Amino acid sequence: MRKLLTLLAAAMALTGLLAATALAGTMVTYANFPPAKTFPCVQMERWKVEVEKRTNGELTVQTFPGSTLLGPKNMLRGVQTGQADIGCISTAYYPGVFPFMDVVNLPVAFTTTEAASLTMWDLYLKYQPAELKDVKVLTLFTSAPSQIMSKEPVKALDDLSGMPLRASGTILQILSGLGAHGVGMPMSQTPEALQKGVVKGLVSSFDVLKDFNFAESCRYETITNLPVYPFAVIMNKAKWDSLPDDVKKVLDDLGREQSQWTGQYLDNHIKESLQWSKDQYQVEVFELTGAEHDKIKELGTPLVDEWKVAAAKAGIDAETVLADMLALKAKYEA
Ligand code: 3IO
């Protein structure tokens, strides 16, 4: 009986200790829209591990991949209102909402994800755009340059005529200039759209061939080097304000590093994904001619002008921001 009581007392003390530890720390929720295997969620899990390690567990992160907490289009509002503490948004799903960050989605032919991601981060830090003032930006990154993945071969630009392809943001306008039929929808809805046949392919980065198994239905890949999609990881402002200073410092110190880590991860992963797709499904990869690349470039010029007008309307010094972006791109691609 004595022994039992001692054991019971010890167990209660341990429980109390664990509860106290949990109380001393803060738990935050982190919502993401695509499935767990995809790169936005891989970077989320890496961020969680690093944060919990670097804060010695003072901050714990509960992750919700696959739109289990918030979806692609209610992510921004959901974080602003505190349904989730942290959320990952693809800014191309919010036309007109991010007039500054849209600059990263312009057809300037980024060659690596790492360069595009670091460019986005540096631009944000320098200008602190008004459109992100009501949330805390934890990190920023992009997808890799966008390519066509389709059920029917696109060996030349003429093959695009009337072809319905899923995309978002500026790529939609380029597709219409090429005679294709761009269908705007979030990445997370694309598996169903492909399966139902409402689109015959998509324009995004090659990581999705493996991570969504799109290689199975989209056996034809065409190298177009279209724009990257910008992503922002944002935190509810009141939640951020409530965090202790030492935790804030850990998160601030991680922002740029996380951006670079994600860029490097994706640059490696698109290669691995394409090789996997060749091995698994014998996908074919088509290269366009120089003249065709020139045509794509030509179609991009009015988009840059349109961005300048929209940015100026939002009070952004468009010429300076664009010049800065191109300088950062050159620096990081050197
Ligand atoms: C993307 C979005 C979600 C999951 C994996 C992804 N790989 C590339 C993208 C970019 C994209 O097409 C988009 O809609 O953000």
Side-chain angles (χ1 to χ4, degrees), residues 33-34 38-40 90 93 143 166 187 203-205 207-208 212 229 231:
F33 66 93
T38 64
F39 90 92
S90 176
Y93 304 167
S143 62
R166 174 274 157 188
M187 179 58 84
V203 187
S204 187
S205 46
D207 50 293
V208 298
F212 281 91
Y229 290 80
F231 288 76

Side-chain angles (χ1 to χ4, degrees), residues 18-319:
L18 285 173
T21 311
L23 277 178
T26 308
M27 195 277 288
V28 288
T29 56
Y30 187 155
N32 218 328
F33 66 93
K37 272 202 275 185
T38 64
F39 90 92
C41 291
V42 171
Q43 74 76 35
M44 169 171 77
E45 295 302 330
R46 188 265 175 182
W47 189 86
K48 168 192 159 82
V49 168
E50 288 304 317
V51 163
E52 291 179 351
K53 194 164 66 189
R54 294 177 196 197
T55 64
N56 298 309
E58 201 181 339
L59 192 70
T60 52
V61 184
Q62 195 181 357
T63 59
F64 294 84
S67 297
T68 46
L69 182 57
L70 290 171
K73 291 194 173 186
N74 65 358
M75 188 68 70
L76 175 60
R77 190 91 190 109
V79 170
Q80 285 168 332
T81 57
Q83 285 173 275
D85 298 315
I86 302 170
C88 174
I89 55 178
S90 176
T91 62
Y93 304 167
Y94 299 85
V97 176
F98 298 105
F100 182 92
M101 282 308 172
D102 282 349
V103 72
V104 182
N105 188 228
L106 289 176
V108 294
F110 278 108
T111 55
T112 70
T113 321
E114 183 181 3
S117 297
L118 287 174
T119 295
M120 187 182 183
W121 179 256
D122 283 3
L123 266 188
Y124 167 75
L125 271 200
K126 180 167 177 185
Y127 290 94
Q128 309 266 328
E131 67 208 36
L132 286 161
K133 278 278 191 282
D134 68 336
V135 290
K136 169 67 186 179
V137 174
L138 294 174
T139 192
L140 300 167
F141 53 83
T142 71
S143 62
S146 296
Q147 321 297 359
I148 298 172
M149 297 162 254
S150 52
K151 294 184 181 183
E152 289 163 16
V154 180
K155 294 186 187 175
L157 288 180
D158 286 346
D159 296 334
L160 283 170
S161 180
M163 189 183 281
L165 295 173
R166 174 274 157 188
S168 259
T170 53
I171 295 171
L172 287 172
Q173 286 156 278
I174 298 171
L175 284 177
S176 73
L178 292 170
H181 175 52
V183 182
M185 72 176 79
M187 179 58 84
S188 40
Q189 280 161 233
T190 309
E192 197 182 336
L194 274 171
Q195 197 260 324
K196 289 184 173 165
V198 293
V199 297
K200 288 203 168 142
L202 71 153
V203 187
S204 187
S205 46
F206 278 150
D207 50 293
V208 298
L209 287 173
K210 184 179 184 190
D211 298 342
F212 281 91
N213 199 31
F214 287 154
E216 185 178 18
S217 57
C218 298
R219 301 282 171 104
Y220 304 103
E221 333 303 340
T222 306
I223 307 293
T224 46
N225 296 324
L226 285 167
V228 298
Y229 290 80
F231 288 76
V233 177
I234 55 172
M235 186 176 204
N236 177 276
K237 197 61 182 277
K239 190 72 185 188
W240 168 259
D241 290 339
S242 77
L243 294 176
D245 285 346
D246 58 334
V247 170
K248 281 182 180 160
K249 183 169 180 349
V250 168
L251 303 192
D252 273 335
D253 289 349
L254 191 52
R256 185 180 190 279
E257 183 195 314
Q258 181 72 16
S259 173
Q260 184 165 30
W261 185 92
T262 306
Q264 288 172 350
Y265 168 79
L266 193 55
D267 283 330
N268 288 323
H269 191 58
I270 53 172
K271 292 181 201 146
E272 188 198 330
S273 172
L274 187 59
Q275 190 55 52
W276 178 88
S277 305
K278 288 175 182 169
D279 296 343
Q280 202 75 18
Y281 296 110
Q282 292 75 51
V283 303
E284 278 186 76
V285 181
F286 304 117
E287 297 279 354
L288 298 173
T289 63
E292 288 177 305
H293 279 292
D294 287 346
K295 166 125 199 244
I296 293 176
K297 205 172 161 192
E298 218 173 279
L299 288 168
T301 310
L303 300 185
V304 177
D305 295 333
E306 275 175 43
W307 175 79
K308 283 183 195 168
V309 172
K313 266 191 197 146
I316 295 160
D317 182 357
E319 291 291 351

